[in-house]
């Protein structure tokens, strides 16, 4: 799939939308996940109570974050875990590199970490001579394809099985033309096993960090985090500071919802709790801020840190499903990507990659008010004078016209006349992107106001 020089969401989405078949099955595949999620959620009568509890647990932890982070650090240290603090992506990468070079690591196996994507860690380590192998099947696929993930739970969802077959043939020597998923998965498993056995260190993301226990929880369906963490001597777990939960009970509440909301499974196949280094080994936890404490200062934006990264909001989002994850100008796409990434978006476009339909908010297991947050981002952009180009120039005019009844009536009368007498080809360019895929409306005989006066008053 080609990439564009423009980083504007609509331009990138237009590239994805050129392949209509891909758009259709992409949308369908994600909707299938949404349906599975609905079935899983409705199988638990207490689902809504869990959501409320999940939201309260996360809010409580975020409100008392300093206390829980300190408790976590102390308990980790008591368990023999080395804890590191990183204020930003650069510091995170330096810390990880420091640990790896201390142990002369040449190959690192990595599992499930959007945070390392956010920190652009792979290229950083590779430039310093350390090979990084993503071991989640989906992540390995896109790593071999040289692409970023397009979804946080199913990162290669945008690729067809034939494309994966071709890629595997080229990179790991599977049969030419083979696209059977079972065959390809087996080949990937054999390929990854070699990587696990030859790695000098392992790294995983963190789904939850339990303050009271000094432990981290890592969820995978393939057991790849466990293969990685248990084989080499050194294991590193990188986490955003928002991953904190107070205790095991809170983790249990969120675990009941995570997989159900992601893929419709009752629980992920492997939910592993790491609470100390293996005999003769080393365990490190890197806690990363990278803009999170700034978000906490804004009451509305702070709620996006309640997210447990289930991906449910992407699966239901009509814009994400039909524009693809690579159209967002941020590591994390979809509604939650806008919520946590819009401030860093220098194109000021992703806050508008949303219809504000609110479907994401309805499915979120921790009640992140995504539509409210996205709307808030738009307001912040407008207040900072950072509206996207088109909106910056025409929205003030639209505001003036809409705010004045005579101006609105006159312009509507002009539009009705133009629609009646001018050819569509002349008018369509004025309809912008909206008109590209739509027929222009037939002009009504009179305004709604005139009709109302005549028939109802
Ligand atoms: S915002 Fe909610 S629905 Fe979206 S990924 Fe996070 S927890 Fe899941």
């Amino acid at each position: 799939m080609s990439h564009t020089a423009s980083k504007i969401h609509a331009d990138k989405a237009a590239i994805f939308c050129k392949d209509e078949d891909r758009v259709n099955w992409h949308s369908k595949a994600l909707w299938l996940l949404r349906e599975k999620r609905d079935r899983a959620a409705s199988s638990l009568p207490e689902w809504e109570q869990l959501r409320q509890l999940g939201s309260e647990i996360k809010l409580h932890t975020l409100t008392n974050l300093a206390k829980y982070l300190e408790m976590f650090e102390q308990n980790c240290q008591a368990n023999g875990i080395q804890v590191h603090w990183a204020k930003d992506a650069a510091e995170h990468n330096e810390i990880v590199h420091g640990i790896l070079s201390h142990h002369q690591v040449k190959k690192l196996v990595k599992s499930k970490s959007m945070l390392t994507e956010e920190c652009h860690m792979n290229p950083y380590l590779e430039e310093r001579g350390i090979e990084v192998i993503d071991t989640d099947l989906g992540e390995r696929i896109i790593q071999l394809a040289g692409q970023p993930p397009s979804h946080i739970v199913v990162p290669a969802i945008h690729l067809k099985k034939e494309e994966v077959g071709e890629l595997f043939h080229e990179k790991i020597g599977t049969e030419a033309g083979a696209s059977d998923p079972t065959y390809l998965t087996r080949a990937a498993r054999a390929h990854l096993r070699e990587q696990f056995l030859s790695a000098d260190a392992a790294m995983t993301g963190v789904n939850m960090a339990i303050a009271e226990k000094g432990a981290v929880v890592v969820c995978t369906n393939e057991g790849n985090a466990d293969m990685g963490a248990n084989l080499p001597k050194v294991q590193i777990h990188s986490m955003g500071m928002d991953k904190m939960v107070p205790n095991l009970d809170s983790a249990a509440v969120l675990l009941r919802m995570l997989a159900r909301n992601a893929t419709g499974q009752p629980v992920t196949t492997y939910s592993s709790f790491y609470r100390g280094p293996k005999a003769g080994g080393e365990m490190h936890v890197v806690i990363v801020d990278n803009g999170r404490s700034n978000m906490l200062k804004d009451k509305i934006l702070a709620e996006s840190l309640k997210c447990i990264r289930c991906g449910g909001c992407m699966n239901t989002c009509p814009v994400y499903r039909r524009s693809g994850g690579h159209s967002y100008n941020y590591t994390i796409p979809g509604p939650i990507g806008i919520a946590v990434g819009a401030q860093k978006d220098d194109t000021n476009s992703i806050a508008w990659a949303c219809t504000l339909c609110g479907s994401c908010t309805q499915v979120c297991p921790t009640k992140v008010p995504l539509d409210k947050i996205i709307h808030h981002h738009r307001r912040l952009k407008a207040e900072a004078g950072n509206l996207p180009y088109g909106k910056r120039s025409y929205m003030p005019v639209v505001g003036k016209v809409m705010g004045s009844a005579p101006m609105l009536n006159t312009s509507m009368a002009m539009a009705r006349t133009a629609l009646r007498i001018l050819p569509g080809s002349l008018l369509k360019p004025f309809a912008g992107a909206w008109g590209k895929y739509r027929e222009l409306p037939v002009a009504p005989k009179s305004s709604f106001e005139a009709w109302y006066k005549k028939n109802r008053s």
Side-chain angles (χ1 to χ4, degrees):
M1 293 171 70
S2 55
H3 290 269
T4 170
S6 168
K7 285 154 75 188
I8 305 246
H9 174 267
D11 293 343
K12 287 184 158 187
I15 293 177
F16 185 75
C17 289
K18 271 187 193 152
D19 185 344
E20 214 174 313
D21 276 353
R22 189 188 300 271
V23 174
N24 288 340
W25 63 250
H26 185 262
S27 177
K28 218 164 126 192
L30 291 157
W31 191 251
L32 213 66
L33 286 179
R34 161 76 210 260
E35 285 177 333
K36 283 188 185 163
R37 173 257 171 219
D38 285 354
R39 279 197 291 276
S42 60
S43 71
L44 291 186
E46 69 276 29
W47 180 256
E48 284 308 314
Q49 280 153 278
L50 281 176
R51 284 182 77 215
Q52 185 57 30
L53 203 54
S55 170
E56 285 170 17
I57 289 167
K58 290 298 285 184
L59 266 187
H60 165 82
T61 321
L62 291 169
T63 315
N64 300 281
L65 194 56
K67 174 183 112 182
Y68 285 118
L69 282 168
E70 270 174 42
M71 189 192 291
F72 176 71
E73 181 182 36
Q74 278 167 16
N75 289 330
C76 278
Q77 284 166 347
N79 293 340
I81 302 168
Q82 298 180 43
V83 180
H84 311 259
W85 299 87
K87 70 171 185 307
D88 55 23
E91 240 179 58
H92 167 265
N93 294 346
E94 276 164 29
I95 291 168
V96 173
H97 181 241
I99 300 168
L100 297 178
S101 39
H102 176 72
H103 291 279
Q104 284 110 39
V105 169
K106 287 278 159 250
K107 186 189 276 191
L108 174 75
V109 280
K110 182 159 77 75
S111 157
K112 282 274 181 214
S113 172
M114 286 307 287
L115 178 67
T116 55
E117 290 288 334
E118 179 185 321
C119 296
H120 304 290
M121 187 195 75
N122 285 18
Y124 176 90
L125 292 181
E126 278 156 8
E127 277 162 26
R128 285 156 183 80
I130 298 170
E131 191 184 3
V132 185
I133 307 285
D134 281 312
T135 60
D136 172 77
L137 176 59
E139 284 177 352
R140 186 64 181 145
I141 291 171
I142 51 163
Q143 187 180 36
L144 290 173
Q147 293 179 3
S150 74
H151 189 287
I152 58 174
V153 175
V154 276
I157 186 80
H158 59 288
L159 292 175
K160 300 178 183 178
K161 62 181 191 310
E162 291 76 18
E163 288 169 326
V164 175
E166 214 173 294
L167 182 72
F168 276 16
H169 170 61
E170 194 188 310
K171 304 278 181 178
I172 62 171
T174 51
E175 280 168 36
S179 62
D180 173 50
T182 311
Y183 167 74
L184 294 177
T185 310
R186 284 196 180 137
R189 189 185 296 156
H191 158 75
L192 284 170
R193 196 147 291 230
E194 278 169 31
Q195 309 299 325
F196 284 124
L197 290 170
S198 55
D200 315 302
M203 173 177 240
T204 79
V206 170
N207 288 88
M208 280 159 231
I210 305 172
E212 251 181 44
K213 294 285 171 196
V216 295
V217 185
V218 185
C219 304
T220 67
N221 274 323
E222 297 156 23
N224 48 326
D226 308 279
M227 288 281 284
N230 285 303
L231 287 172
K233 183 178 153 212
V234 182
Q235 70 189 88
I236 306 171
H237 304 271
S238 281
M239 54 173 272
M241 58 194 235
D242 51 314
K243 290 298 166 77
M244 197 59 53
V245 293
N247 48 33
L248 278 173
D249 285 350
S250 340
V253 170
L254 300 175
L255 275 177
R256 288 193 76 197
M257 290 189 289
L258 179 65
R260 284 187 169 90
N261 219 64
T263 54
Q265 294 165 267
V267 72
T268 35
T269 315
Y270 300 90
S271 299
S272 305
F273 292 61
Y274 295 98
R275 205 188 159 193
K278 58 184 95 58
E282 259 182 38
M283 176 170 165
H284 298 260
V285 173
V286 190
I287 305 172
V288 184
D289 184 330
N290 205 28
R292 285 161 177 80
S293 10
N294 258 342
M295 292 187 89
L296 278 175
K297 290 182 198 152
D298 181 314
K299 217 172 151 215
I300 299 178
L301 298 186
E303 286 214 58
S304 50
L305 298 178
K306 292 194 300 179
C307 171
I308 57 170
R309 301 288 192 266
C310 69
C313 54
M314 292 165 205
N315 303 341
T316 197
C317 175
V319 177
Y320 172 83
R321 282 190 287 117
R322 301 195 74 78
S323 64
H326 289 156
S327 61
Y328 294 78
N329 189 23
Y330 191 59
T331 315
I332 300 173
I336 184 61
I338 304 176
V340 296
Q343 271 176 328
K344 298 174 192 161
D345 169 28
D346 53 8
T347 70
N348 302 311
S349 66
I350 63 168
W352 279 267
C354 169
T355 62
L356 295 182
C357 69
S359 181
C360 47
T361 302
Q362 294 302 316
V363 302
C364 178
T366 49
K367 295 195 170 186
V368 177
L370 289 153
D371 52 338
K372 188 170 148 194
I373 295 170
I374 294 170
H375 183 260
H376 183 59
H377 272 302
R378 293 184 186 181
R379 183 173 289 274
L380 292 176
K381 294 272 180 196
E383 281 169 4
N386 287 334
L387 284 171
Y389 174 72
K391 288 184 171 51
R392 194 163 58 224
S393 55
Y394 70 72
M395 283 318 263
V397 181
V398 173
K400 277 209 177 83
V401 173
M402 300 284 271
S404 148
M407 275 168 84
L408 183 64
N409 288 339
T410 313
S411 52
M412 287 297 116
M414 282 162 66
R416 281 194 301 277
T417 313
L419 276 172
R420 263 196 298 274
I421 60 172
L422 295 175
S425 55
L426 206 67
L427 288 174
K428 270 222 166 182
F430 292 102
W434 185 92
K436 248 190 208 169
Y437 304 102
R438 293 173 176 89
E439 290 308 316
L440 293 174
V442 177
K445 286 197 180 71
S446 67
S447 70
F448 173 74
E449 195 189 17
W451 177 91
Y452 191 84
K453 273 186 189 150
K454 191 171 161 208
N455 294 290
R456 293 282 188 274
S457 57

